[in-house]
Amino acid sequence: MEKNLKTSDFYFDLPQELIAQDPLEDRSSSRLLVLNKDTGKTEHRMFRDILDYLNPGDCLVLNNTKVLPARLLGVKKDTGAAVEVLLLKRREGNIWETLVKPGKKMRPGAKLSFGEGILEAEVLDIVEEGNRLIKFSYEGIFEEILDALGEMPLPPYITHKLKDKNRYQTVYAKYDGSAAAPTAGLHFTTELLKRIEEKGVKLAYVTLHVGLGTFRPVKAEHILEHHMHSEYYQVTAQAAETINETKKSGHRVICVGTTSCRTVESAADEKGMLAECCGDTDIFIYPGYRFKVLDGLITNFHLPESTLVMLVSALAGRENVLGAYQEAVEERYRFFSFGDCMAIF
């Protein structure tokens, strides 16, 4: 492991105007920067050309988590003051851990109302990092109420309003639980996935519920002092078998997104084999890490000094990655959640 890496070693200069604010009309028409992890050489293609880089027998690992429309706008019942509640994690039943704005006035006992009383809530407790435990009360089905009242919890760097909720959702999203989308998957269309399977590439679906810690900046000077957030993951017996067969037959396991990568690397044994499992992971992957399962990665462009840039650098080398990012800036690629894509082989 590289011991003395500093957060500043992963800085790059990103012009504000390259941060994508809206998704493209056609998911697969984003640009694709292909990076050779050994040589650092790059190629510039369109995302649908990913087909040219996948071989029969390869396995694509996709995260089928579904983003909750977890941003609720309401009022404080006693004063009518506006409040914003972001659902982070269901603790039990109707009790959720949340992020509340404005936080200071949200003391235990505070009562809130959303959608003119369709959904009501009470603050129960203040927990770590100032998050609030809130108990909701309502009539009907919580998910349906959330779908009607909630907004997608877009990252802080996206200032435009999302016209269609489904555009912050992968076409294969299945299990509710994320506070943010696994954005590398946003480039795939149902048709493109079909063509990939027709080529003889296997698809394995795993689940990791993405937390907002994804966007938390690394504040420590030395990266090893950074405390990683924990996220829930699940690997089915079928996904484990597909990935294991791919490894045993000498083909490549290519993860779509850093969340799929963190899932398989957390779940694998020392020989890189998987079994059906679930749990919480706070795995932190940075240069020096030896990958047990992953051979290639399809991923978006990440924030400077983020744990995600560190993960990508663990696979392709810090200098190769920063060189490719510099090229992406010069070529005016679109960055972050709704931006363009990078493939590392």
Side-chain angles (χ1 to χ4, degrees), residues 38-326:
D38 300 317
T39 64
K41 283 207 166 71
T42 56
E43 292 176 66
H44 300 281
R45 304 287 294 268
M46 299 301 287
F47 187 78
R48 63 180 76 90
D49 300 333
I50 194 72
L51 210 54
D52 298 343
Y53 295 88
L54 303 175
N55 306 322
D58 284 347
C59 172
L60 269 192
V61 183
L62 305 116
N63 180 7
N64 60 10
T65 186
K66 199 170 184 181
V67 186
L68 288 166
R71 188 167 170 251
L72 289 163
L73 303 174
V75 294
K76 205 160 171 247
K77 282 180 85 168
D78 58 352
T79 61
V83 293
E84 180 182 322
V85 172
L86 195 58
L87 305 180
L88 297 178
K89 194 183 279 185
R90 182 180 242 141
R91 286 290 189 91
E92 54 178 299
N94 292 320
I95 298 172
W96 286 75
E97 185 175 336
T98 68
L99 203 60
V100 180
K101 281 193 225 168
K104 281 182 185 153
K105 299 196 172 149
M106 291 299 146
R107 298 192 181 94
K111 291 185 167 58
L112 317 173
S113 175
F114 307 91
E116 294 175 347
I118 294 171
L119 182 64
E120 299 206 325
E122 183 180 348
V123 179
L124 300 181
D125 200 2
I126 300 173
V127 291
E128 58 182 314
E129 295 181 10
N131 293 348
R132 268 42 175 191
L133 284 189
I134 286 183
K135 184 172 187 178
F136 290 96
S137 50
Y138 51 89
E139 284 179 20
I141 297 166
F142 185 69
E143 283 71 20
E144 287 179 5
I145 293 168
L146 201 56
D147 211 40
L149 298 182
E151 293 181 7
M152 282 298 185
L154 294 180
Y157 47 75
I158 292 176
T159 54
H160 291 192
K161 198 166 167 58
L162 186 61
K163 294 187 185 80
D164 174 5
K165 274 185 190 172
N166 287 328
R167 292 313 309 274
Y168 194 57
Q169 207 78 273
T170 62
V171 295
Y172 47 82
K174 193 169 181 182
Y175 299 111
D176 281 330
S178 275
T183 54
L186 295 178
H187 304 282
F188 288 92
T189 61
T190 312
E191 185 214 7
L192 181 56
L193 286 168
K194 191 167 163 243
R195 286 173 62 207
I196 287 168
E197 282 194 284
E198 283 167 358
K199 189 172 179 178
V201 177
K202 290 175 279 196
L203 304 182
Y205 292 96
V206 298
T207 308
L208 180 135
H209 292 322
V210 189
L212 282 184
T214 286
F215 305 114
R216 190 171 291 147
V218 179
K219 291 185 174 153
E221 184 187 349
H222 294 275
I223 68 169
L224 294 187
E225 292 162 11
H226 177 65
H227 172 66
M228 280 295 277
H229 56 288
S230 172
E231 293 165 320
Y232 175 81
Y233 72 90
Q234 185 168 16
V235 177
T236 62
Q238 188 185 354
E241 191 183 336
T242 303
I243 294 165
N244 291 344
E245 278 174 10
T246 305
K247 295 301 280 184
K248 284 174 187 165
S249 61
H251 291 102
R252 297 177 304 169
V253 173
I254 297 154
C255 288
V256 175
T258 55
T259 59
S260 302
C261 163
R262 292 175 68 239
T263 302
V264 297
E265 291 297 319
S266 297
D269 65 19
E270 285 312 306
K271 292 179 179 163
M273 291 291 115
L274 298 173
E276 182 179 7
C277 62
C278 64
D280 292 302
T281 178
D282 59 359
I283 190 171
F284 184 10
I285 296 174
Y286 53 86
Y289 179 84
R290 292 177 72 100
F291 288 91
K292 297 178 282 194
V293 184
L294 172 135
D295 300 297
L297 181 67
I298 294 168
T299 184
N300 278 20
F301 291 93
H302 304 295
L303 284 95
E305 301 186 330
S306 64
T307 59
L308 305 177
V309 166
M310 295 169 193
L311 183 153
V312 175
S313 299
L315 179 62
R318 189 175 66 90
E319 287 178 6
N320 287 348
V321 167
L322 291 179
Y325 270 53
Q326 182 58 44

